Structures are given as structure tokens and as C-alpha cells.
Amino acid sequence: MSMSACSLPEKPEPDLYHAFFTRTMAREPVLNVTTLRRLKALSWATDQQLEQLISRMSLRRVERRTVLFTEGAPSDDLYLLVSGVVKLSLRGLEGEDVLVSLVCPGELFGITSLMPGVQQRAFRSEAFSDCWVGVLRPETFVTTLLGVPFADFTAMMGSTISRWFDLLYRYAHFQGLSLRQRLALALLELAQKFGVQDARGTILILQLTHEDLADLVGASRQKVTEHMKELERQQLILRDGRKLIVLPQRLQEIVGLA
């Protein structure tokens, strides 16, 4: 994401810049059809749609460093950033913040509220600067702008966009993980998508070579082979001929999900 999309003034002097930014954020933005249309997320909407959206949107001023939602919080509202910058991050295994994205004015965030079956936030959202944020119910957003029942929209999202969101979530979590943890996470995902339950664990019906696993986790085949042998020795995975049996609960302990 190009930071040039965030319209900020040239920065001649720190004190002048701070004063400009403080004055700008202190003034409540005027929400009307013209101002909303300038936001790229809504530039395509009709005047009537924008007027209806304005009547159903609440505008909030959010001070810098304020947390809008945390990982695991209920995924209910949808947010439109009107001004300022918002940071999306996740908590690493050692407690550090891992940056996922910076949201610029005109972008929507909190989109897990549009995902079927996603009850909790995937990321943490914090105001990177003072902001003005529009808050909407996801069903209001969909029915007003698309004119379709919310249930139909989420069904479509479940069969299309959800897969790519899962990939984003996965690779965001890969940052800062050791190879052992990345491998465990990849095996858990494979077990969820291509697994059949067995008394011993979850059998992977998709046969993968160590080269395939290496491509998935971004490592050499030799290193993956070493770690797979270690996982097998510790009975975190099992072999039945050419079949691989995963023990999800034990693998979850490696990546801190248990």
C-alpha cells in the first residue's frame, strides 16, 4: 500500500505540522454526498445510496493510540476511515506487535464482519494518528449499497473472498515464527482443508512431498525434512505407509493455539 494515498501536507517544521494536524483532526468532517464520493471505497455509489448511508452511519473521533478493536473481539461493526491513519496488527508469540497493514482515508476495515462464520476479529486495530471513523452495521452497508439480502452476500463471500482472507491471515501470522512453528501451522491448515478424521488423528488425503511443504513454508527441502523427522519422533505426526496423520491438538501447542 502506497503511503502517498494518505494526503498529508508537506512537513516544513515539526511544530507547524503538529499544529496543522491537530486543528485538522479537531474539526468534525462534513459528511455529505460530495465528501463521501471523494472516498475511494464509495466513489461508485449513487447519490441516493450515499444519502441513505449517511443517515445510518455514526461518526466517531478517535485519538491517536486508541484501540478500536482487538484480536478475538466480537466481529460486529464495519468501519470507514474518513481521515487519519489506522494500524492493523497482530500479536506475535513473544508479545510483540506485527504490522499487517496501514489503513488510509477512504478505506474500509473490520471486514471480518462481512465474512460468514467469522465471529471474532482476526487483527488488532489501533489509531496510528488522530482519526475520524464512520461506523456501520455490515448488513446496513450491504443492503444500502448492493440492494441484496445480507445472507446472500455472506454466502457469496464464503465461496470466494473468504479463501483469500484465510491466506492473508495465514501469511500475516507467519511473520516472526520459527520454521518449526510455520510447518506446524501449515500442517494444521492442511488438516482442516484436506483431512479425514481417524481414531489416531487427522489423515491428510492430499499427498504432499517435502518439497511441496518447503514451498508452503518458505524453507529448503532439507530443513523441512529434518523438522518433519523431529515431529514424527515426538509423535506430533504419524506415518501409515504413504499416509500422513496429523495430531492437531499437539501441533496447536507449538504455535500457541491450544
Side-chain angles (χ1 to χ4, degrees):
M1 182 182 302
S2 174
M3 289 303 295
S4 61
C6 297
S7 299
L8 297 177
E10 294 185 5
K11 192 174 180 181
E13 296 291 341
D15 290 341
L16 292 176
Y17 180 79
H18 177 74
F20 174 89
F21 209 79
T22 300
R23 289 197 306 272
T24 301
M25 291 299 110
R27 293 195 301 266
E28 180 173 347
V30 176
L31 286 188
N32 54 36
V33 170
T34 301
T35 56
L36 280 191
R37 192 176 300 287
R38 290 173 183 164
L39 303 178
K40 57 184 176 181
L42 301 174
S43 60
W44 52 271
T46 67
D47 289 357
Q48 183 180 6
Q49 289 171 328
L50 293 177
E51 288 171 355
Q52 292 177 6
L53 207 62
I54 291 170
S55 67
R56 300 174 184 179
M57 181 191 303
S58 62
L59 188 63
R60 290 170 48 189
R61 184 179 187 277
V62 183
E63 294 184 354
R64 182 174 181 263
R65 299 190 183 280
T66 299
V67 176
L68 286 92
F69 54 79
T70 59
E71 290 179 73
S75 187
D76 40 26
D77 292 325
L78 180 67
Y79 298 89
L80 172 67
L81 185 59
V82 177
S83 63
V85 182
V86 166
K87 179 175 74 171
L88 299 181
S89 64
L90 55 85
R91 188 72 68 183
L93 292 180
E94 297 182 359
E96 77 283 7
D97 279 342
V98 178
L99 178 65
V100 176
S101 179
L102 291 176
V103 181
C104 284
E107 291 188 324
L108 294 163
F109 63 104
I111 61 170
T112 49
S113 60
L114 300 173
M115 300 290 182
V118 181
Q119 303 297 321
Q120 298 178 330
R121 299 293 188 189
F123 304 120
R124 182 176 187 267
S125 173
E126 177 184 336
F128 189 73
S129 69
D130 290 346
C131 302
W132 284 97
V133 178
V135 185
L136 286 160
R137 297 296 300 171
E139 55 269 25
T140 297
F141 178 80
V142 171
T143 56
T144 301
L145 293 182
L146 300 181
V148 299
F150 187 61
D152 293 347
F153 176 81
T154 56
M156 182 275 294
M157 292 287 281
S159 61
T160 55
I161 305 301
S162 287
R163 176 190 172 208
W164 300 108
F165 182 81
D166 289 343
L167 287 175
L168 168 64
Y169 186 72
R170 171 190 170 192
Y171 284 107
H173 276 77
F174 264 23
Q175 299 184 61
L177 296 183
S178 66
L179 174 55
R180 174 182 171 87
Q181 292 167 327
R182 297 201 307 272
L183 188 57
L185 197 60
L187 290 170
L188 285 169
E189 182 181 6
L190 290 168
Q192 181 182 17
K193 293 185 175 181
F194 306 103
V196 175
Q197 293 304 310
D198 182 86
R200 297 163 294 176
T202 304
I203 301 175
L204 295 186
I205 59 174
L206 181 66
Q207 294 187 357
L208 295 172
T209 65
H210 285 185
E211 187 72 33
D212 294 329
L213 289 173
D215 290 340
L216 278 176
V217 300
S220 68
R221 183 202 57 78
Q222 180 181 359
K223 287 293 184 181
V224 166
T225 297
E226 293 173 1
H227 280 277
M228 288 293 286
K229 287 181 178 178
E230 182 63 19
L231 292 176
E232 189 174 351
R233 188 188 68 78
Q234 295 177 348
Q235 295 189 323
L236 301 176
I237 59 175
L238 306 174
R239 289 282 182 182
D240 183 359
R242 298 185 64 182
K243 296 179 180 177
L244 181 64
I245 303 173
V246 171
L247 280 65
Q249 186 172 359
R250 299 202 61 191
L251 288 176
Q252 288 173 357
E253 295 175 357
I254 295 178
V255 291
L257 297 177

